[in-house]
Amino acid sequence: MFDLPLAPRYLLPPAFLIVLCAVLMLPPVQALLTFNRELIDQGEFWRILTSQYVHTNWTHWLLNVVGVVFIWVLHAEYRSPKTYAVHLLLLGLWTGLGIWLFCPDIRIYTGLSGLLHGVIVWGAIKDIKVGERTGVLLFLGILGKLAWEQYAGPSDEVGQLISSRVAIESHLIGAIGGVVLALPLLWQKK
């Protein structure tokens, strides 16, 4: 059967992330943390990172919760709580900086999806490294999803659900960040 990683060291980090993102949905907090290019250009640089953890609405939050749970089921045992936190911070910063530097058309941005793409890519590479054949399928699946998004553009249906344009650029930036984060894995022995 399928064993879920229910030990507190595996369960608490994603649970904390989910609760944190819910708390950050409070309107006054959300307004202070959202990626807003104009305000960042005026010196509110924290928004580059904090925007990764706030959401446009509860549907947006819930969609990202599904992603967090999916990653927990697949790869929780690969990360200690410290590594989990470091990965979320590094990929959040990477994604936010990437949007700020390379996506000038994105004026407002929120959501975990960019950094979650990085987390899942790192996990797929770790799967491959430890000999899990499903890692190749997962990596190819993410690669195909990213290619499709770049070709077809953002989903209008999901955009309506989250009350915002889906920032597919963040998915690509996050996934690239996941590859960069996984580079040390390539030099580790099995």
Side-chain angles (χ1 to χ4, degrees):
M1 191 67 194
F2 193 68
D3 289 326
L4 292 176
L6 295 174
R9 66 174 296 180
Y10 303 129
L11 191 56
L12 292 178
F16 176 79
L17 176 63
I18 290 167
V19 171
L20 173 68
C21 289
V23 169
L24 297 180
M25 289 291 293
L26 297 171
V29 176
Q30 183 187 36
L32 289 171
L33 303 180
T34 297
F35 182 102
N36 180 316
R37 184 168 296 279
E38 182 179 322
L39 296 175
I40 292 169
D41 290 344
Q42 293 173 16
E44 295 185 14
F45 297 112
W46 67 83
R47 293 172 180 273
I48 291 171
L49 176 63
T50 60
S51 60
Q52 308 305 306
Y53 309 100
V54 296
H55 295 83
T56 56
N57 60 29
W58 289 105
T59 303
H60 188 200
W61 173 84
L62 185 59
L63 288 170
N64 280 278
V65 166
V66 170
V68 170
V69 170
F70 177 73
I71 292 166
W72 165 73
V73 168
L74 289 178
H75 299 135
E77 294 166 329
Y78 288 158
R79 294 179 177 91
S80 68
K82 179 181 175 184
T83 302
Y84 189 87
V86 168
H87 283 185
L88 292 181
L89 288 171
L90 289 175
L91 289 167
L93 187 59
W94 174 279
T95 303
L97 281 171
I99 292 167
W100 186 50
L101 294 172
F102 302 113
C103 304
D105 292 342
I106 295 179
R107 310 302 298 165
I108 304 291
Y109 174 82
T110 60
L112 279 172
S113 61
L115 76 86
L116 289 179
H117 278 74
V119 172
I120 195 76
V121 165
W122 182 92
I125 293 170
K126 179 73 174 182
D127 276 346
I128 294 166
K129 185 67 178 172
V130 300
E132 289 284 335
R133 287 184 280 193
T134 56
V136 172
L137 293 175
L138 182 59
F139 188 82
L140 291 175
I142 293 293
L143 190 61
K145 176 190 180 292
L146 293 168
W148 176 255
E149 285 179 339
Q150 297 307 306
Y151 170 75
S155 166
D156 291 332
E157 293 82 12
V158 175
Q160 289 174 1
L161 286 173
I162 67 171
S163 302
S164 180
R165 177 189 165 275
V166 178
I168 59 172
E169 302 87 348
S170 74
H171 300 171
L172 182 59
I173 292 166
I176 293 168
V179 170
V180 170
L181 195 62
L183 288 176
L185 295 174
L186 302 177
W187 289 281
Q188 290 178 351
K189 295 189 182 210
K190 283 189 181 181

